Amino acid sequence: MSRHVAIVTDSTAYLPPRTMERHGITAVPLTVVLGDQALDEGTEISTRSLAQALQKRRPVTTSRPSPELFAETYRKVAESGATGIVSLHLSAELSGTYDAAVLAAREAPVPVRVVDTGAVAMALGFCTLAAAEAAEAGGTVDEAVTAAEKRASGTSAYFYVDTLDYLRRGGRIGAAQALLGSALAVKPLLQLDGGRIELLEKVRTASRAIARLEEIAADRAGSSQVDIAVHHLAAPERASALADRLRARVSGLADLHVSEVGAVIGAHTGPGLLGVVVSPR
């Protein structure tokens, strides 16, 4: 067995499976509750099934992984030869996942550093990759955490949603903000700020909102070397077109990922989501 620092994250990082396999990253799944069924994100529920359920207004909720599941994951990772674990998770403002990981870390057979990245989706994914690359280079647990935190501090995430209603139902945005958006018939642009989802701008039409999303992301990227991720839910054509425009517009682009979000994020945003994550290297 090789002895190394191992990297654990959760299913909301939305890293490509090949990338996770290449870097030896383990993801702990969150749960999506669809009606009376509790399903693991990434393996037991597809985004298509989720989108159909949301469009039919079926009840959809999400829940964190249990501390027991984290404990089992840490045990297996330690048995594979890890001498330390860095466990990176979505914002504690959005989920109890971080708290569950902290509880499990206390009883783990090897030292575990649990990190609240304040991020979600590929904003979390890029932090996780930074930690994995530091570990692969022979870095310690502390060095891997530092690499992740540095990446997190420079990473920005912006989102367009067709309606704030799904975020309001899940308690991820204030009812007053959601009501304002509905009353004025505006299309909201959101951002991750301090680990929370905050209203950034209100735009009158979907086309103008998406154009503004592109402009904000390109301005944030500037001319520095950056990685970008474009996310969507049930909007592949919109996502592909936006990615093409950013590819042509951002001079310092290193990697660009286009992917559909998983069921956990989709349950809180609804179909039509477009997101852009800008992460300087």
Side-chain angles (χ1 to χ4, degrees):
M1 294 188 299
S2 63
R3 302 180 67 80
H4 60 281
V5 172
I7 306 300
V8 173
T9 187
D10 60 67
S11 59
T12 69
Y14 301 139
L15 286 164
R18 287 184 180 178
T19 300
M20 293 183 59
E21 184 177 353
R22 183 166 68 251
H23 292 283
I25 298 167
T26 301
V28 178
L30 275 73
T31 301
V32 178
V33 182
L34 188 61
D36 59 355
Q37 286 185 298
L39 306 166
D40 285 347
E41 181 178 39
T43 57
E44 295 182 333
I45 180 169
S46 68
T47 49
R48 176 174 294 183
S49 298
L50 171 78
Q52 290 172 345
L54 291 172
Q55 288 162 349
K56 293 176 182 177
R57 301 189 70 84
R58 292 181 61 191
V60 181
T61 58
T62 61
S63 65
R64 71 178 192 178
S66 68
E68 291 76 18
L69 180 56
F70 272 112
E72 180 184 358
T73 300
Y74 296 152
R75 178 181 57 77
K76 288 181 177 178
V77 169
E79 288 175 354
S80 75
T83 54
I85 298 170
V86 178
S87 197
L88 302 122
H89 301 291
L90 81 161
S91 172
E93 295 281 349
L94 303 177
S95 168
T97 300
Y98 168 81
D99 293 331
V102 168
L103 288 173
R106 295 171 182 168
E107 307 299 328
V110 296
V112 180
R113 284 280 301 278
V114 183
V115 180
D116 172 10
T117 65
V120 73
M122 274 299 292
L124 168 58
F126 287 133
C127 297
T128 302
L129 282 175
E133 289 165 357
E136 288 166 0
T140 63
V141 165
D142 286 346
E143 288 168 337
V145 169
T146 297
E149 291 178 339
K150 182 179 179 180
R151 194 74 186 258
S153 68
T155 296
S156 302
Y158 309 100
F159 305 94
Y160 160 81
V161 292
D162 278 333
T163 172
L164 292 171
D165 192 42
Y166 296 101
L167 285 162
R168 179 193 58 78
R169 287 187 221 168
R172 266 61 181 186
I173 198 166
Q177 289 179 310
L179 181 62
L180 178 65
S182 299
L184 297 178
V186 297
K187 295 299 183 180
L189 291 177
L190 310 167
Q191 67 176 339
L192 269 177
D193 183 12
R196 297 181 297 276
I197 297 173
E198 301 287 358
L199 195 58
L200 177 63
E201 293 183 8
K202 301 184 290 291
V203 186
R204 283 292 180 183
T205 67
S207 60
R208 288 180 181 177
I210 294 169
R212 181 64 181 138
L213 178 66
E214 174 191 339
E215 182 179 357
I216 291 168
D219 287 348
R220 176 67 185 87
S223 59
S224 59
Q225 189 177 40
V226 297
D227 295 325
I228 290 178
V230 175
H231 289 303
H232 72 93
L233 179 63
E237 295 85 4
R238 276 180 173 177
S240 179
L242 176 58
D244 287 343
R245 293 194 300 271
L246 287 170
R247 195 176 283 113
R249 187 167 179 172
V250 177
S251 60
L253 183 63
D255 287 328
L256 193 151
H257 305 260
V258 181
S259 65
E260 192 163 33
V261 298
V264 167
I265 300 305
H268 295 293
T269 61
L273 163 78
L274 273 182
V276 182
V277 177
V278 181
S279 184
R281 289 198 168 189

